[in-house]
Amino acid sequence: MYYPYLRGKQFDLLALKELVKAERLKKTIVPVIEPVKQSKTLLQTLEVFRQKGQPFYLIDNPQAGDFLTETGLETLQELAQGHRAHIITANQGELHFSPEDLYIANSAQGLQVLPEAYRNGQFAAPFEMRILRQLIKAQGLILLQDPFTRLPRNSYYREYPDELFTRSHLTYEKQGFTGFGDFSLDSRIYYDQGYPDRDLCLHLVYPGDEQELRVHHFVSPEDPEDARLSQKEKFLQLIGEVDSWAKAGRLPETLGLGLLLKAYQEDRFPGMGVIRKGVIMHHLETMGMLLSD
């Protein structure tokens, strides 16, 4: 099972919603959503998940964002019923344990004060021995990793264009994990918003050898003469390389990739939000193919 960890931003939610409506999100993919924005999109996405019977978890105590109020947390308690995930913190108050819930362990300190019954539950945790030693009896242990290399500027990816993203789920099963997850081309560290960058970059996953998933960083061409190209011009140059990869069969056909290539065919810049949505859709669909194989 694959557990992508998403911060519940607008276009991440739209990516999930469209995939579920189109029945293109495998049941072996269980999104873990940490809601950071109160929006209609969040409510609509959760409703579509429930209608389609798509498994998911909603974190009822996010560590940042709009829900960090008494009213906001009460709202999440209601929304998360039957699909609750909870982040274990160092100053953890009283919990209502349920074996159906998912507990997220980011530090060993928070686990030390938990009753033994809680440690028998289902946990997602990083590969850190101080944490894993306390979760030996967990009924389900999900490896939550952070494989994406986040560089401070998009131009730096020209020197680091391709990398391993993850190996097959069989690798994690051999290590005793019941599932694995990651931050879906994002970072464990939460950023409320990005910063303007001179270069555009698309991070697209594709199948590698021996049941592995790699990520290629497509960066808009350098502009040494400072021609001040528009975002549209940079995008069209960038997506042209993506189109070449797709025609060569190096990228799998997905709804998300089709969304990006459609903009290229129509000679338009779709906007950064739509680009983000397309990349996430492509990522989740491709991961589903890896799990099916």
Side-chain angles (χ1 to χ4, degrees):
M1 301 287 281
Y2 173 57
Y3 299 81
Y5 192 111
L6 298 151
R7 261 41 184 264
K9 295 180 181 179
Q10 177 83 353
F11 286 94
D12 291 12
L13 292 171
L14 289 173
L16 291 172
K17 179 181 172 185
E18 289 196 20
L19 286 177
V20 174
K21 288 181 70 174
E23 299 184 353
R24 297 288 286 267
L25 191 64
K26 301 284 187 180
K27 302 298 186 186
T28 50
I29 296 179
V30 185
V32 180
I33 303 171
E34 182 178 8
V36 295
K37 301 289 184 184
Q38 293 201 45
S39 66
K40 289 183 179 179
T41 304
L42 174 63
L43 300 178
Q44 292 169 351
T45 302
L46 298 182
E47 180 60 27
V48 169
F49 271 54
R50 288 188 164 97
Q51 288 176 355
K52 294 288 187 178
Q54 175 67 40
F56 72 95
Y57 285 106
L58 181 69
I59 293 174
D60 68 356
N61 65 330
Q63 301 301 291
D66 296 348
F67 286 97
L68 297 185
T69 64
E70 184 177 347
T71 302
L73 293 174
E74 288 176 357
T75 298
L76 287 182
Q77 292 293 327
E78 296 178 8
L79 292 176
Q81 287 184 13
H83 302 271
R84 187 176 80 111
H86 188 86
I87 298 173
I88 301 297
T89 62
N91 300 317
Q92 184 66 57
E94 183 180 355
L95 281 174
H96 299 288
F97 175 73
S98 169
E100 304 300 321
D101 294 343
L102 174 66
Y103 296 94
I104 299 168
N106 292 324
S107 71
Q109 186 178 3
L111 292 172
Q112 291 169 354
V113 297
L114 282 184
E116 191 67 27
Y118 287 83
R119 300 189 203 181
N120 296 339
Q122 182 173 220
F123 281 85
F127 195 84
E128 183 178 330
M129 294 313 298
R130 291 179 301 171
I131 297 176
L132 298 181
R133 274 197 297 264
Q134 299 189 54
L135 298 176
I136 294 175
K137 297 180 181 179
Q139 66 173 2
L141 189 53
I142 298 159
L143 176 61
L144 189 58
Q145 52 188 351
D146 193 4
F148 180 68
T149 302
R150 188 180 181 114
L151 298 179
R153 297 191 67 85
N154 287 339
S155 59
Y156 297 168
Y157 286 107
R158 294 194 183 101
E159 306 299 322
Y160 190 61
D162 201 279
E163 62 180 309
L164 174 68
F165 187 80
T166 192
R167 299 192 188 279
S168 166
H169 61 291
L170 299 176
T171 302
Y172 306 108
E173 289 178 1
K174 290 178 182 177
Q175 295 175 323
F177 295 97
T178 57
F180 68 103
D182 52 58
F183 293 84
S184 303
L185 301 175
D186 216 326
S187 168
R188 182 181 298 275
I189 301 172
Y190 171 65
Y191 297 88
D192 184 48
Q193 58 185 12
Y195 295 93
D197 198 304
R198 174 174 179 160
D199 302 284
L200 292 181
C201 186
L202 288 185
H203 312 284
L204 294 175
V205 294
Y206 68 98
D209 298 327
E210 299 180 356
Q211 285 286 291
E212 67 179 23
L213 206 61
R214 301 190 65 82
V215 57
H216 192 83
H217 311 289
F218 295 89
V219 188
S220 56
E222 291 187 74
D223 185 13
E225 299 180 2
D226 196 19
R228 300 186 183 279
L229 298 176
S230 66
Q231 278 192 315
K232 174 184 174 181
E233 292 170 314
K234 292 178 181 178
F235 171 76
L236 293 177
Q237 290 180 352
L238 163 67
I239 203 68
E241 183 184 359
V242 175
D243 185 54
S244 297
W245 270 54
K247 288 178 178 176
R250 301 180 68 183
L251 292 171
E253 293 184 16
T254 65
L255 283 181
L257 183 61
L259 183 68
L260 300 174
L261 293 179
K262 185 173 186 291
Y264 176 59
Q265 294 160 2
E266 296 175 352
D267 192 41
R268 61 181 175 82
F269 175 64
M272 295 305 297
V274 174
I275 290 174
R276 170 71 180 177
K277 181 176 74 169
V279 167
I280 292 296
M281 290 174 68
H282 174 78
H283 172 79
L284 296 177
E285 286 180 90
T286 306
M287 183 63 80
M289 296 175 190
L290 179 70
L291 294 175
S292 296
D293 291 342

